[in-house]
Amino acid sequence: MDFPNSSAIRSADYDPDALTLDVTFTTGRAYTYFDVPEWKYDGLIAAPSAGEYFNTYIRDQHPCHERS
């Protein structure tokens, strides 16, 4: 899912089987977040501000790994 109107997030893809969320930021850095419930992904794509939602509900609440 692309976020063309977000100043922070370029794209995010969710795997419901693995409960992983892949996020690519507008800076080009990309991370995989683990143990993310589907409702959080749904909230992210529906949020008026993807960056604000991400910071509130995902960033510090889930372990992550930077992708290269």
Side-chain angles (χ1 to χ4, degrees):
M1 159 67 81
D2 290 335
F3 290 83
N5 297 324
S6 176
S7 61
I9 297 175
R10 181 182 303 154
S11 65
D13 295 300
Y14 184 70
D15 181 339
D17 295 323
L19 297 178
T20 57
L21 177 64
D22 293 330
V23 178
T24 302
F25 295 94
T26 56
T27 62
R29 296 184 86 165
Y31 295 85
T32 298
Y33 291 83
F34 301 95
D35 300 320
V36 179
E38 192 164 3
W39 68 266
K40 287 191 178 184
Y41 174 68
D42 292 341
L44 179 66
I45 61 174
S49 171
E52 185 176 318
Y53 183 93
F54 174 82
N55 287 336
T56 301
Y57 294 101
I58 299 168
R59 183 183 72 188
D60 294 329
Q61 297 183 18
H62 297 278
C64 70
H65 174 73
E66 186 171 9
R67 296 176 310 177
S68 50

